[in-house]
């Protein structure tokens, strides 16, 4: 999606593997903030990105046990705009020697911070991400962000979201991408529409054990059947929630991370692959499998691990169906078998690959890949609660968009 | 009254596409070097990046490979809900997002043959001819 500015990914090389560790995580109160935004109790103020990120940062700092003066790097990631990195550093009460804007969604910011640490720019980086689409009235799909004269740079046009060209036929929105993929998948593999319920249901079951998850009520097949469609064949329960919030990750030089409050979580590998041409074909016919697979292989090779070592997965469930694309794309199950795989319990504790154990974007929080990393950290610390994967050592997160894929391999580090 | 549609993307290359539609021809950009078809409209080849694109007339025949029905109103009431879209694979092997004409997604099956037709519609820039697909 060209609406999101990409960061320049550092290469997926062994020299960068396990050079930095996540030592602190902080998230805002997704469920409480979502409820407050709906009920608007007396005195309630809409959250600003600034207020949210300060909350996430203070929690991450407390979680790490570090002091404010230990923070010598700050990066900030805003999907729909926010203050400058220096302003953010001041807001956090820090005086970093390294402060930079760092992309937005979890498609590169963590590798960038790790590379900065490896290059000696900072020892301890507070990475903050904040998104307030509810507060800012962000609309997904339609003509909201259309740009005039899109193919003519001389006319001052910027890069529009590629799917705006389909507006005259009414085809729009991220949801439509996943829906179109699923319509073709149903035909290609002979699966029924309702089989997708198992994915929405599994992720909801995980969310139900998480106090901070936005959607925690039981999801029954009857409710699913009765729910409204957004873009057929996808229903509202197949599409991610939209909520405001922030995530902070504190990332520190690995050789300084072993004697802190928490077990360090090492950033062991990353990857990136993007389709080069024929987006509709790659998206609908291949469901990005070549890209998702290649990027995951890069990340595993960088980490010196194989897919068999991975015991937990956090995918980007913008849609229930897109989670299937990633489970199949990474290679946990064969193409066309993802729904049966989920129905068989393979995506929860006791199955092959417990997936989105905090409720993902579908039921947990729409933090655009950042809350997935926070959950992977909890899992690797063995602090994930009811859906903890026993003895977990290696987790993979993956942010697949409609045209590219960004996996991370995280490993449980050692106390020194 | 002519049916309203969401706005076309403007720009000099896009304008060529719609000019051909006005003449009842579905033409897409084919690269004169690598022969790759680029769609949606672009200033350079999607495959090799060269700018030497030729507007080639498609046969207008294809098969259905995917579908959607929009229940969500993304265009502020401009399009009556629900409405259907199709993904058609043209004989030239290019995938093309369009609307069904004279049938709905309830009637589609994998590989169903369809052919292009042009309907008169308008957007904020004025009337234009929209390529849609009917049963073949």
């Amino acid at each position: 999606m060209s609406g999101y500015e990409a960061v320049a990914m550092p290469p997926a090389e062994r020299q960068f593997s396990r050079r930095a560790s996540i030592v602190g995580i902080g998230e805002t109160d997704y469920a409480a903030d979502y409820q407050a935004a709906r009920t608007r109790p007396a005195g309630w103020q809409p959250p600003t990105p600034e207020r949210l990120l300060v909350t996430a940062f203070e929690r991450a700092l407390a979680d790490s046990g570090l002091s404010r003066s230990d923070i010598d790097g700050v990066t900030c990631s805003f999907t729909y705009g926010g203050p400058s990195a220096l302003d953010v550093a001041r807001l956090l009460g820090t005086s970093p020697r390294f402060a930079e804007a760092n992309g937005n969604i979890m498609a590169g910011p963590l590798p960038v911070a790790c590379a900065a640490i490896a290059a000696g720019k900072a020892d301890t980086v507070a990475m903050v991400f904040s998104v307030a689409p509810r507060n800012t009235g962000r609309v997904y799909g339609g003509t909201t962000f259309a740009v005039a004269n899109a193919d003519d740079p001389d006319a001052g046009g910027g890069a529009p979201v590629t799917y705006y060209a389909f507006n005259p036929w009414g085809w729009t929105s991220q949801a439509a991408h996943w829906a179109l993929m699923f319509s073709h998948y149903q035909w290609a593999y002979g699966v029924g529409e309702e089989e997708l319920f198992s994915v929405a249901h599994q992720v909801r079951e995980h969310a139900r054990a998480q106090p901070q998850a936005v959607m925690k009520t039981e999801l029954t097949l009857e409710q699913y059947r009765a729910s409204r469609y957004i873009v057929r064949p996808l229903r509202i329960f197949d599409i991610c929630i939209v909520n405001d919030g922030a995530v902070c990750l504190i990332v520190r030089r690995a050789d300084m991370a072993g004697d802190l409050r928490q077990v360090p979580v090492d950033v062991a590998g990353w990857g990136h692959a993007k389709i080069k041409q024929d987006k509709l074909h790659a998206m609908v016919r291949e469901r990005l499998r070549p890209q998702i697979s290649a990027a995951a292989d890069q990340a595993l090779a960088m980490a010196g691990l194989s897919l068999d070592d991975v015991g937990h997965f956090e995918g980007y469930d913008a849609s229930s169906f897109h989670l299937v694309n990633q489970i199949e794309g990474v290679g946990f199950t064969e193409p066309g078998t993802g729904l049966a795989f989920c129905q068989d319990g393979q995506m929860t504790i006791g199955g092959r690959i417990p997936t989105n154990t905090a409720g993902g974007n579908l039921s947990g929080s729409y933090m655009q890949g950042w809350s997935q990393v926070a959950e992977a950290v909890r899992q690797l610390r063995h602090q994930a609660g009811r859906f903890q994967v026993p003895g977990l050592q290696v987790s993979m997160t993956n942010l697949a968009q409609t045209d590219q894929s960004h996996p991370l391999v995280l490993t449980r580090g050692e106390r020194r | 009254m002519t049916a309203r549609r969401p706005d076309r993307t403007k720009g000099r290359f896009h304008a060529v596409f719609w000019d051909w539609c006005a003449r009842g021809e579905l033409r897409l950009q084919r690269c004169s070097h690598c022969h790759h078809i680029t769609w949606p409209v672009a200033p350079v080849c999607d495959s090799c990046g060269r700018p030497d694109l030729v507007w080639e007339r498609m046969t207008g025949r294809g098969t259905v490979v995917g579908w959607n029905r929009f229940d969500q109103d993304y265009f502020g009431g401009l399009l009556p809900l629900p409405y259907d879209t199709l993904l058609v694979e043209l004989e030239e092997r290019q995938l093309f997002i369009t609307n069904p004409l004279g049938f709905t997604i309830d009637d589609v099956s994998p590989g169903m043959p369809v052919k292009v037709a042009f309907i008169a519609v308008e957007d904020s820039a004025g009337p234009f001819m929209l390529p849609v697909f009917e049963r073949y």
Side-chain angles (χ1 to χ4, degrees):
Chain A
M1 285 173 278
S2 51
Y4 295 131
E5 287 171 42
V7 297
M9 281 282 290
E13 292 173 356
R14 288 297 286 272
Q15 58 162 324
F16 291 122
S17 179
R18 298 178 179 84
R19 295 285 297 278
S21 311
I22 301 170
V23 299
I25 54 173
E27 296 175 275
T28 51
D29 298 311
Y30 305 133
D33 289 348
Y34 183 84
Q35 277 306 320
R38 299 192 124 199
T39 57
R40 299 182 179 247
W44 179 79
Q45 297 281 322
T48 61
E50 290 85 348
R51 199 179 91 201
L52 293 165
L53 69 85
V54 167
T55 300
F57 169 73
E58 293 297 339
R59 290 175 181 181
L61 192 64
D63 177 65
S64 71
L66 291 164
S67 68
R68 206 171 301 269
S69 59
D70 291 318
I71 305 299
D72 63 352
V74 169
T75 73
C76 54
S77 309
F78 302 114
T79 308
Y80 312 121
S84 74
L86 279 173
D87 286 343
V88 169
R90 274 193 289 272
L91 198 60
L92 303 181
T94 58
S95 309
R97 58 188 170 107
F98 170 73
E100 281 189 2
N102 188 7
N104 37 66
I105 65 176
M106 190 41 87
L110 187 56
V112 166
C114 291
I117 288 171
K121 292 178 183 171
D123 293 331
T124 308
V125 177
M127 302 178 64
V128 292
F129 165 83
S130 181
V131 62
R134 286 254 168 212
N135 182 35
T136 56
R138 169 81 186 191
V139 174
Y140 299 84
T143 56
T144 324
F145 290 83
V147 177
N149 296 317
D151 65 3
D152 188 355
D154 297 337
V161 174
T162 51
Y163 61 74
Y164 288 157
F166 305 120
N167 276 352
W169 295 275
W171 195 88
T172 187
S173 80
Q174 274 80 7
H177 289 72
W178 325 125
L180 185 56
M181 292 157 118
F182 185 48
S183 78
H184 182 71
Y185 184 92
Q186 281 182 265
W187 281 349
Y189 297 107
V191 303
E193 188 177 295
E194 280 186 6
E195 291 184 48
L196 200 50
F197 166 73
S198 65
V199 179
H201 178 259
Q202 182 63 75
V203 175
R204 176 64 62 90
E205 285 298 298
H206 292 159
R208 293 181 68 197
Q210 302 290 338
Q212 81 276 19
V214 171
M215 299 287 172
K216 292 190 288 283
T217 54
E218 184 180 10
L219 178 62
T220 65
L221 181 57
E222 289 66 36
Q223 286 169 331
Y224 182 80
R225 279 184 182 139
S227 68
R228 71 183 175 97
Y229 287 103
I230 302 296
V231 181
R232 293 185 213 199
L234 298 184
R235 300 169 183 278
I236 193 163
F237 291 121
D238 296 310
I239 307 292
C240 68
I241 51 178
V242 175
N243 64 298
D244 298 342
V247 179
C248 176
L249 305 175
I250 295 180
V251 185
R252 187 165 163 97
R253 245 173 63 184
D255 60 355
M256 297 168 65
D259 57 352
L260 303 181
R261 180 168 294 164
Q262 306 288 354
V263 173
V265 169
D266 296 338
V267 182
W270 57 71
H272 177 224
K274 184 175 181 175
I275 61 173
K276 292 182 175 62
Q277 60 184 57
D278 291 321
K279 178 170 173 178
L280 283 171
H281 173 83
M283 202 178 80
V284 177
R285 282 257 164 81
E286 300 179 335
R287 301 185 325 283
L288 300 180
R289 190 162 186 275
Q291 290 74 31
I292 293 169
S293 171
D297 287 350
Q298 289 169 24
L300 288 166
M302 176 174 163
L305 296 167
S306 77
L307 192 58
D308 289 342
D309 297 316
V310 179
H312 170 246
F313 182 70
E314 288 285 315
Y316 188 58
D317 50 346
S319 163
S320 53
F321 183 63
H322 197 42
L323 194 54
V324 175
N325 293 332
Q326 291 164 83
I327 288 287
E328 294 183 0
V330 170
F332 294 115
T333 189
E334 290 298 305
T337 65
L339 296 174
F341 185 76
C342 185
Q343 283 162 17
D344 192 36
Q346 299 296 330
M347 285 165 63
T348 191
I349 304 304
R352 163 64 188 96
I353 188 73
T355 296
N356 290 26
T357 46
N361 299 132
L362 286 170
S363 291
S365 185
Y366 180 57
M367 292 298 108
Q368 305 185 328
W370 286 72
S371 52
Q372 277 93 334
V373 172
E375 170 65 4
V377 169
R378 279 190 297 269
Q379 284 280 355
L380 289 163
R381 289 177 179 176
H382 302 167
Q383 295 173 353
R386 189 178 142 207
F387 289 105
Q388 174 65 49
V389 180
L392 183 69
Q393 298 295 317
V394 182
S395 175
M396 179 184 283
T397 70
N398 194 66
L399 196 146
Q401 296 165 253
T402 58
D403 62 350
Q404 57 192 299
S405 190
H406 284 89
L408 297 167
V409 173
L410 305 176
T411 55
R412 183 177 166 90
E414 286 174 19
R415 283 193 180 277
R416 282 180 283 268
Chain B
M1 205 179 86
T2 314
R4 277 298 296 259
R5 289 282 175 156
D7 286 345
R8 291 163 284 172
T9 305
K10 296 180 180 65
R12 54 198 164 100
F13 296 103
H14 285 275
V16 177
F17 172 78
W18 295 109
D19 284 348
W20 281 115
C21 288
R23 286 179 252 176
E25 295 187 12
L26 180 63
R27 288 191 183 239
L28 300 183
Q29 297 165 292
R30 190 189 287 278
C31 179
S32 46
H33 293 280
C34 73
H35 309 294
H36 183 81
I37 292 178
T38 293
W39 174 253
V41 170
V44 297
C45 175
D46 184 29
S47 180
C48 74
R50 289 184 168 113
D52 308 306
L53 305 178
V54 176
W55 289 93
E56 180 178 302
R57 187 171 186 180
M58 304 288 107
T59 66
R61 290 185 295 271
T63 54
V64 177
V65 298
W67 53 269
N68 291 129
R69 173 169 289 168
F70 285 73
D71 291 71
Q72 180 87 2
D73 179 14
Y74 288 108
F75 294 102
L78 190 75
L79 296 172
L81 299 172
Y83 60 88
D84 293 350
T85 62
L86 292 181
L87 184 66
V88 169
E89 180 172 29
L90 303 175
E91 277 189 341
E92 293 80 4
R93 305 212 30 92
Q94 178 61 45
L95 296 177
F96 192 85
I97 288 176
T98 185
N99 303 121
L101 176 67
F103 66 103
T104 73
I105 59 158
D106 298 325
D107 308 316
V108 296
S109 54
M112 183 176 133
V114 288
K115 68 173 181 184
V116 74
F118 292 86
I119 59 171
V121 295
E122 65 177 11
D123 66 7
S124 63
F128 66 104
M129 299 300 285
L130 182 74
V132 295
F133 280 73
E134 57 190 5
R135 285 194 236 228
Y136 177 63

